[in-house]
Every structure is written in C-alpha cells, then in structure tokens.
Amino acid sequence: MSFLRLNLDTLSMIVEYLDCYDALRLSEVARPIHVLAKYQALKFVDIHSYTALVKFSRHMLDHMSHRLPYLLSIGAILPPVPSRYVPAVSRAARHFRLVQEFHAAGSTFADLLERATNLQRFTLTPAEVWMEYEPRIACALSSLRWLKDIQLMDVGPMVAYTLNNLKSKPNRLSLAEFQSASQHLTHSQFPLDKDLCLPSVRHLVAWGDNALPFFTRFASICPELRTLDLGSSWSTDRFPVDYTGDEGTARWRHLECVYGLPDALEELPTDAPIHRIRLTHAGASPQARARLLVVHTAQPVSLSLAITLEDGFDLLEHALKASPRLRHFCLRLVDWPGTPSLSSFLVSAPRIRPRVWLTVRRLGFYHAAARRVECRLP
C-alpha cells in the first residue's frame, strides 16, 4: 500500500512521532500530508534569534491562531540583549536594536503566550531581561496551568514574581543565573515568598550563587525533590559562615541524585542515603576531605568523581571504601598527562572493592572526553 493512501487517522499517528524539524520536512513531500505535518511541526518550536521570535509570534497570531491551543513546547534560547552601555561605534553595533523594538517584540510574544493555554514546556533565555521589557510575559507564564517543564536563564525579581504566582504544577524547574563579567548585566535580588512551596517539582536545576538563595532554601520550596543539579557554581566559600542559618530546617526525604561541588554538598539537608552523586569540578582541585565526607554521609550506589594528578590514588582507595553500597564508580581524570599508573590501578582495583563497575574517563580542561575505559570488577 502506498504511504499516501493511508487514512487520516493512521497518518496522524505516524506524524505524532516526529519532532518539529522532521515534521516540517515531511510537510514538503506531498500535498495530502502537508497540513498534518505542518500542524505537528508547530507543536514543538525552538527559537534561537530575535528575528525568528518576532516572525513566529506574528505568524501564529495572524495566520495560525486556531493552532495556538495545540502549541505544547516553546524553547526561546535567544542571544543576550545588547547593553545600552556598548559604544555605538562598536563593530557589533549594527546588530543592536532599539529599546522600542524589544518592547514591541516582547508585547507580541506575550500575546502569543496568553493564547497558548495548553503549553507544557517553556524555555526562555535571557528570561529576566525579556520580562523587564514586557512584564506581561511573566504574568502570562505564571497564569499557564499545564506547564511540566520550566527552564529560565537569567533570573531576578521578575522571574521570582513568576514563581511566586505560578499556577502550574511543573515536574522540572531550571533556574540559571546569567554569567557575565559586567555587573549591570547580572541581578542580585531574587525575592521569593517565605511560604512558597512547589511540591510537584521532582527535578531542580539551580546554577548560580549571586541572586539565587542558598540551595538549602529549596528544601522547603521543593520538598518532594528527586534530582538536584547545582552545576559547578555553588560553593560555601562564597557565603558567610552563618549564611545557611536562616534558610530553614526543612530536609529532603526522597532525594535520589545530586550533582554539585563537594564543599557545597556537605550542607545537603537530606535524611536518607542518596542513590547517585556526581561531584563536579570547577577547574581547581577541591579538598579531598570534603569529597570523602560527602561520600561517607550520602552512602551512594553510583559515584562520579573528578580527580587531578595531584590528588593521587590514595583518594580513590578511600572513596571506594567510603560507601559499602557502592556498585558503580565513574572516575574522571582532569588534565591528566597520559596514563601514568592507570594500568596498575586497574589491576589493583579488584582488591579495593568487589562487585563494582568501574568507568574511567580522561577529560581535558577545554575539551570533551577523549578516552573511556570500562571494566567490571569481580
């Protein structure tokens, strides 16, 4: 049977498995499936430029308004909004736009969000800047009721307002501060309500230590958390000694996976052992004591640890012995010049900890994984 002879229901089932790019290509193949594939392409949309944001918003509002209730995902990962302090004679000045243009684009985007009532996934970068240009974006986002995944980069008072008034029950929440050397591009305030609680959040990403509260505060905001990702930004060295005292006494009861710097995870408010821990690396080797203390406290089944040549293999032996529950150990070699003593370590590893699956990866400081060795210890 010819593909084009399939009935409408069957074609609809096939098209639903396609992402937006494949559906868009399929819509150009034949007239009978053009409309179905085009509708599928408009369910999940990723936008990466100011021009694309304006064109998409106007197209949906003017010509496809009947499809707005079927829009399920918007990912607007936009370049940073240029600062007014950049000289007009700069080579990049020709790419800059007037403030009025950003206000108009934000207004059009807010109109789109107000009518896309069934949106389930939303990503916006930089979020705080766009919400400052058009506050209706924050109001529209907070009024949506079916959001399951919210990802906002560049947080500040407007993003905090969105969370304080959120009507949805998201499963995943990502908050990341904008990384910039310019002080006027970063925010230092994130005024969350004291009684804010998002029990539906199971996966939290919190990157940054300037505007975001200390991560222990999220124990009361997201009490049912399963996965916590702190990246390489949180470090207790950047906070006063008594900073964590005002963050409440709430503790996570069901936390399963944690990613972050070792010294930050020492403050982790949890009552139960953690299944998986990934200790991130910020370019300088943290204290070995902090890393081992985290392992002793959490008792993970899966552990990922980054070491440098200065750490030595004694740290690995103690880390493997720190958790009797350990069954998978991922060793990430950072800036490792060749493989000195690696073979001898793998030979002696079975005597260190039995029944552990060991993964070794050599990482460069500026490049991705270059080597991966796996072995199952008897």
Side-chain angles (χ1 to χ4, degrees):
M1 175 181 288
S2 173
F3 176 75
L4 299 179
R5 292 182 178 273
L6 296 175
N7 58 50
L8 188 62
D9 294 337
T10 305
L11 287 175
S12 300
M13 294 175 60
I14 295 174
V15 170
E16 285 181 356
Y17 286 95
L18 303 178
D19 59 20
C20 62
Y21 298 104
D22 291 336
L24 185 61
R25 296 187 184 97
L26 182 62
S27 68
E28 302 173 354
V29 173
R31 187 182 299 275
I33 57 176
H34 172 75
V35 176
L36 278 177
K38 183 178 180 181
Y39 285 173
Q40 176 66 19
L42 292 177
K43 286 184 178 180
F44 309 93
V45 179
D46 291 329
I47 304 171
H48 299 281
S49 69
Y50 168 90
T51 304
L53 175 68
V54 174
K55 289 183 177 179
F56 172 73
S57 301
R58 290 177 178 173
H59 176 72
M60 293 298 295
L61 292 172
D62 297 340
H63 306 290
M64 303 293 292
S65 58
H66 61 287
R67 298 301 303 177
L68 286 174
Y70 299 93
L71 187 59
L72 301 180
S73 173
I74 295 179
I77 304 177
L78 308 175
V81 177
S83 169
R84 70 186 66 178
Y85 300 103
V86 178
V89 296
S90 172
R91 291 181 57 189
R94 62 181 180 275
H95 300 295
F96 292 177
R97 301 179 183 275
L98 299 177
V99 173
Q100 293 82 353
E101 295 184 51
F102 284 102
H103 279 297
S107 178
T108 306
F109 190 41
D111 293 337
L112 174 70
L113 293 178
E114 289 174 351
R115 301 178 63 177
T117 54
N118 294 319
L119 206 61
Q120 297 181 7
R121 173 183 169 271
F122 182 77
T123 301
L124 180 59
T125 302
E128 183 68 20
V129 174
W130 280 97
M131 291 179 181
E132 287 178 351
Y133 277 118
E134 181 49 73
R136 287 198 301 126
I137 295 178
C139 297
L141 184 60
S142 62
S143 63
L144 295 175
R145 296 184 176 274
W146 305 107
L147 284 172
K148 299 299 181 184
D149 187 350
I150 303 176
Q151 303 179 34
L152 302 174
M153 181 178 179
D154 180 28
V155 300
M158 295 303 297
V159 174
Y161 169 85
T162 302
L163 296 181
N164 292 334
N165 298 274
L166 194 64
K167 301 296 189 298
S168 299
K169 298 180 179 179
N171 179 267
R172 175 184 173 86
L173 177 62
S174 299
L175 303 172
E177 295 181 4
F178 184 74
Q179 302 297 325
S180 175
S182 301
Q183 294 297 326
H184 61 272
L185 293 179
T186 60
H187 299 273
S188 59
Q189 296 182 355
F190 196 65
L192 296 175
D193 293 343
K194 292 184 178 181
D195 57 347
L196 176 63
C197 185
L198 302 173
S200 63
V201 176
R202 297 294 187 270
H203 310 281
L204 174 65
V205 177
W207 292 358
D209 54 9
N210 189 36
L212 291 175
F214 196 76
F215 69 89
T216 55
R217 168 75 169 87
F218 289 102
S220 60
I221 298 176
C222 309
E224 302 298 327
L225 203 64
R226 300 295 191 274
T227 303
L228 175 64
D229 185 355
L230 300 176
S232 299
S233 56
W234 285 111
S235 177
T236 54
D237 294 339
R238 301 188 181 97
F239 293 91
V241 177
D242 58 346
Y243 186 88
T244 60
D246 299 330
E247 299 302 313
T249 58
R251 304 180 70 83
W252 282 302
R253 298 172 297 171
H254 309 292
L255 196 60
E256 298 175 357
C257 302
V258 180
Y259 312 94
L261 290 173
D263 60 334
L265 298 187
E266 288 188 70
E267 306 289 339
L268 200 65
T270 179
D271 294 325
I274 299 174
H275 180 80
R276 182 181 180 184
I277 290 183
R278 178 186 175 94
L279 300 180
T280 55
H281 184 79
S285 178
Q287 295 296 329
R289 174 186 170 275
R291 283 177 282 184
L292 293 181
L293 182 59
V294 171
V295 178
H296 276 290
T297 304
Q299 292 294 300
V301 174
S302 176
L303 174 64
S304 179
L305 178 65
I307 68 167
T308 60
L309 187 61
E310 292 78 11
D311 292 323
F313 287 107
D314 292 339
L315 174 65
L316 304 182
E317 297 181 12
H318 292 295
L320 287 169
K321 296 177 181 179
S323 175
R325 302 171 67 241
L326 192 64
R327 290 298 178 266
H328 178 262
F329 184 72
C330 179
L331 176 62
R332 308 194 310 280
L333 308 179
V334 181
D335 290 337
W336 204 271
T339 55
S341 305
L342 181 57
S343 300
S344 60
F345 169 74
L346 294 177
V347 172
S348 61
R351 298 194 298 270
I352 300 175
R353 190 79 180 94
R355 297 182 299 278
V356 177
W357 187 282
L358 177 65
T359 303
V360 180
R361 300 180 181 179
R362 191 198 310 164
L363 305 178
F365 191 75
Y366 294 106
H367 57 272
R371 173 168 180 161
R372 175 171 174 162
V373 181
E374 292 187 358
C375 63
R376 180 63 179 269
L377 306 185

